[in-house]
Amino acid sequence: MHIYFSRKDNSRYLIRVLLLASMVLSLTSCNISVSTDSGNTSENGSSSDTNNNDASTSSGTNNDSNDTDSSNDSGNADSSGNSGNAEGSDTGSGGDNQGGNSDSSEDNTDTGSADNSGDNSDSDSASGSDTSGSDDTDIQQCQAYEWPGYTPDLNYNFRDEYSDIDPNTFDVYLGCDPSLVAGYKSSGWYTFIWGYNRNPAITDADIDRVLANLNEDMAYTRDVMGWPPDKLPREGYYSNIYLYGSGLCTDNAANTEKGGWQSGINGYPMILLSYYPVITPSERGGITHEEIHAVMASMPSGKAAWFNEGGNTWLQMNMEASRTGQYGVGFLDGAPFLAPHMPIENYSGWLQDGTFGGPNAEGVNRFVNGQQVSTWRDYLGGNQYNSVFSHFLSLYVSTGANAWIWSNGNYNHILETLASGLGEEQTRDLVMEYRARQAMVDFGAWTDALKVPINNNWGRTIGAEAISGGILQQPTPHKLTFYADSDTVGSVVIPATDTLPGWSGANQIPFVTNGDTVKIKFDPQDENMRLQLAYRAADGSAVYSKPVSSGEVCLTLDKPAKDGTVVAVVSNVDYLYQGESSRSRKYNYQLEMVEGVSGTADIYQRHY
């Protein structure tokens, strides 16, 4: 059974939740940012306790063996969508990581200033794309398209900022009144602190193992990957791990409670662990996940809740891949591929009422008769734990693009943050490129690993995810696939309305080819829409057309298409989240078959 806690810091609260909302952590007057259950949700990856090998079927709740889930408080939002640098995200297993998928070679690794004026205007031109809608279909227009890259490339790391920190000079920061502290142990960059009610199952060897593992993992993120430590070392102290339930000022819990989180004390992010992850070696990834949250909570300002999770799992996956040369992802990394109509900045996925969870879980948290009810769907409810957008940034913008986002603290939302460096036009292009590459699972060394959770969930029928408090409503059953359903009237293809793309979302419609050149006419019925053709060639390469904002798109099939299929990728390229209007809106369009296709292809066949 998964137990979900939420968190609260001394200014705003975030998060989630789920299943046992009745479990409340009563806190003492110490200025600690762990809180009682009140927060946002979600099945999803909602904050779970660290029960190892829990077989919960919650779509987003990890059923991964390292299940110290994280309710990502850093940069989280309260139930109204307010965001803040919350210092209490609960502990997410191995990257919450969604758990258990991997590439074909290994198990899942253990695994976050744009001008508002242009975003809702009529569609503007995409960089390098034909936006005229003319009938000019000459050879050059129909040639395969190469994405030009981004200027500046936002390649950043923190190495120079914190290169002079010497752990040999660290002091111990207790945080609690010394009278409550029974003991502590320091090693490397970390101190483990416990009170007088320490669970007797914990041995000194367990504490030594936790300290050694954190020192090894986080040294790699600092020294090799260039990421900073959390706030305590920056100010001359060891990073802290507090033993939950041991009688410290952090909580009033019993020493048999289970769980693990990133939290905060007196303004310092820290890790709060129950006895269970301490005595359980397989919880290593979950504990490291929480320390990554502590690092993120120490950044200049909070980033949106979804990115605290997805960005965290991305960093942890890259740490493992860099160390081992093997690429593994989590089971929730299939979610954005199997429902591409969901926005990029999305918490808890495509909700039961047909809207989308906002970047900070807006719209997710609902109560009926004082009980939290599920508002999310199976599997997609854990969408925020996917690492896919961060992988895209690292592969196609720069290796330091994720770090650049965290170093630029003026904006909470991620696309808006990117627009402050790239500008409006390139940000819209970035959304379009992400959606096109997503349609082909074109993610470099991560491609084969990402196909595992995609294939494992392909064709799965989902509905509302049930929790103890009930569900908001039962949506129409939906079968997971990359491709949008549609009707064809003559030569015109009309997409199904329920899966029309949200802001920054996409539809993918496959076509059967019957010629060497494919031409599709694009009729966007809302603003800021793009169309691009893509196909996986028989030789394994991904091929893309020049994108358009309206009119005819053309692609010559110089290489034979796998299964004789080309995919039309329709994207909305709005990048500013405008609140409820963004969360609930869908963007319509029609396509007309002009040349080289005989009709739509089977949407339950894989065309990547």
Side-chain angles (χ1 to χ4, degrees):
M1 171 174 65
H2 281 257
I3 301 171
Y4 298 88
F5 300 97
S6 61
R7 294 262 161 306
K8 195 171 190 178
D9 79 334
N10 50 19
S11 58
R12 311 186 189 207
Y13 68 94
L14 160 80
I15 317 228
R16 58 212 141 147
V17 56
L18 253 300
L19 293 186
L20 302 178
S22 61
M23 293 216 47
V24 175
L25 306 180
S26 54
L27 305 177
T28 64
S29 59
C30 167
N31 182 15
I32 178 110
S33 35
V34 189
S35 92
T36 66
D37 317 81
S38 56
N40 292 328
T41 155
S42 130
E43 77 153 299
N44 58 236
S46 161
S47 94
S48 78
D49 88 311
T50 118
N51 293 344
N52 190 33
N53 291 320
D54 185 312
S56 165
T57 58
S58 296
S59 91
T61 72
N62 296 325
N63 48 3
D64 150 294
S65 61
N66 295 321
D67 187 48
T68 31
D69 170 324
S70 74
S71 128
N72 72 258
D73 285 71
S74 39
N76 291 322
D78 66 10
S79 58
S80 65
N82 293 328
S83 58
N85 190 13
E87 296 168 349
S89 73
D90 44 285
T91 152
S93 133
D96 263 307
N97 188 35
Q98 330 175 17
N101 289 319
S102 68
D103 71 345
S104 56
S105 64
E106 68 161 0
D107 291 335
N108 179 46
T109 60
D110 289 323
T111 334
S113 151
D115 179 8
N116 293 4
S117 62
D119 195 55
N120 288 326
S121 61
D122 290 339
S123 48
D124 54 339
S125 67
S127 160
S129 64
D130 174 12
T131 60
S132 65
S134 72
D135 292 328
D136 179 11
T137 56
D138 59 19
I139 293 175
Q140 184 176 3
Q141 183 183 359
C142 297
Q143 288 178 342
Y145 181 70
E146 296 290 337
W147 291 94
Y150 297 89
T151 303
D153 63 7
L154 311 183
N155 197 12
Y156 182 82
N157 70 59
F158 296 90
R159 193 172 279 112
D160 293 340
E161 293 184 37
Y162 303 104
S163 59
D164 58 350
I165 296 176
D166 181 2
N168 293 313
T169 65
F170 285 169
D171 294 323
V172 174
Y173 179 81
L174 293 179
C176 297
D177 189 288
S179 66
L180 299 175
V181 177
Y184 61 84
K185 195 166 195 176
S186 300
S187 176
W189 289 64
Y190 291 90
T191 292
F192 190 103
I193 302 171
W194 64 90
Y196 287 95
N197 196 28
R198 170 175 155 177
N199 188 303
I202 298 175
T203 66
D204 287 348
D206 291 325
I207 294 173
D208 289 341
R209 185 190 68 256
V210 169
L211 291 169
N213 289 345
L214 272 175
N215 275 305
E216 180 182 359
D217 288 352
M218 299 313 293
Y220 200 89
T221 65
R222 290 190 310 271
D223 301 340
V224 178
M225 301 178 73
W227 285 72
D230 65 53
K231 185 177 179 181
L232 279 163
R234 300 180 199 180
E235 298 191 7
Y237 302 107
Y238 292 100
S239 295
N240 282 349
I241 307 149
Y242 291 87
L243 182 59
Y244 178 70
S246 69
L248 294 170
C249 68
T250 55
D251 59 271
N252 286 329
N255 67 6
T256 55
E257 295 285 353
K258 294 181 179 180
W261 310 267
Q262 179 264 308
S263 187
I265 187 166
N266 304 326
Y268 291 106
M270 53 79 158
I271 304 174
L272 185 63
L273 297 180
S274 72
Y275 84 95
Y276 186 78
V278 177
I279 68 170
T280 308
S282 62
E283 292 291 337
R284 173 177 180 169
I287 295 171
T288 297
H289 180 90
E290 295 318 304
E291 175 55 15
I292 294 173
H293 274 309
V295 171
M296 292 176 171
S298 302
M299 296 296 185
S301 73
K303 293 303 178 187
W306 76 273
F307 196 68
N308 275 268
E309 298 303 347
N312 187 319
T313 59
W314 167 83
L315 181 59
Q316 201 161 4
M317 288 175 193
N318 275 269
M319 177 184 72
E320 292 298 330
S322 181
R323 288 198 297 200
T324 67
Q326 296 178 310
Y327 295 81
V329 303
F331 79 91
L332 291 171
D333 281 306
F337 293 94
L338 291 164
H341 62 294
M342 298 189 300
I344 294 170
E345 299 204 56
N346 167 263
Y347 199 104
S348 293
W350 181 31
L351 301 181
Q352 295 162 15
D353 64 2
T355 65
F356 305 105
N360 289 295
E362 295 90 341
V364 175
N365 219 25
R366 302 283 186 91
F367 290 84
V368 175
N369 298 323
Q371 291 288 316
Q372 178 150 24
V373 297
S374 162
T375 59
W376 50 90
R377 303 181 192 223
D378 294 321
Y379 189 62
L380 302 182
N383 184 56
Q384 69 275 10
Y385 285 97
N386 88 79
S387 59
V388 178
F389 187 66
S390 285
H391 283 306
F392 167 80
L393 294 175
S394 180
L395 289 166
Y396 296 113
V397 180
S398 68
T399 56
N402 285 276
W404 184 90
I405 290 170
W406 285 106
S407 71
N408 286 268
N410 292 332
Y411 301 99
N412 176 263
H413 298 147
I414 305 312
L415 293 175
E416 185 175 17
T417 301
L418 287 166
S420 71
L422 296 175
E424 178 177 312
E425 184 174 288
Q426 286 196 108
T427 303
R428 296 187 194 278
D429 288 351
L430 181 147
V431 172
M432 179 172 52
E433 180 179 0
Y434 170 67
R435 292 306 187 179
R437 293 193 185 277
Q438 186 181 56
M440 295 294 105
V441 197
D442 186 7
F443 282 81
W446 296 95
T447 296
D448 288 342
L450 287 167
K451 288 179 181 178
V452 174
I454 293 169
N455 292 339
N456 286 347
N457 290 282
W458 187 274
R460 172 180 173 179
T461 298
I462 61 169
E465 179 170 328
I467 63 171
S468 60
I471 65 172
L472 180 67
Q473 65 187 73
Q474 188 61 254
T476 301
H478 178 75
K479 193 172 180 180
L480 293 176
T481 175
F482 278 28
Y483 311 112
D485 200 3
S486 62
D487 291 322
T488 301
V489 179
S491 61
V492 176
V493 177
I494 302 168
T497 57
D498 61 336
T499 54
L500 286 171
W503 74 287
S504 74
N507 273 178
Q508 300 164 20
I509 296 184
F511 288 92
V512 177
T513 62
N514 62 3
D516 295 331
T517 298
V518 172
K519 297 178 183 177
I520 302 288
K521 185 177 180 181
F522 181 40
D523 178 17
Q525 298 179 4
D526 288 296
E527 67 276 9
N528 298 323
M529 303 288 283
R530 303 285 187 270
L531 171 64
Q532 189 168 23
L533 300 180
Y535 71 94
R536 183 66 72 171
D539 67 3
S541 61
V543 182
Y544 303 96
S545 76
K546 190 175 183 181
V548 300
S549 61
S550 65
E552 203 170 89
V553 66
C554 176
L555 181 60
T556 298
L557 309 184
D558 292 325
K559 299 178 179 181
K562 176 189 173 186
D563 300 327
T565 303
V566 168
V567 178
V569 183
V570 177
S571 305
N572 173 263
V573 295
D574 283 346
Y575 64 89
L576 292 177
Y577 178 68
Q578 306 282 8
E580 191 68 13
S581 62
S582 296
R583 196 181 67 75
S584 59
R585 187 175 178 187
K586 305 289 180 69
Y587 292 81
N588 207 350
Y589 64 93
Q590 292 183 357
L591 302 175
E592 182 179 352
M593 297 178 284
V594 176
E595 181 182 328
V597 294
S598 59
T600 57
D602 184 352
I603 66 171
Y604 297 110
Q605 182 178 345
R606 300 175 179 92
H607 304 297
Y608 51 86

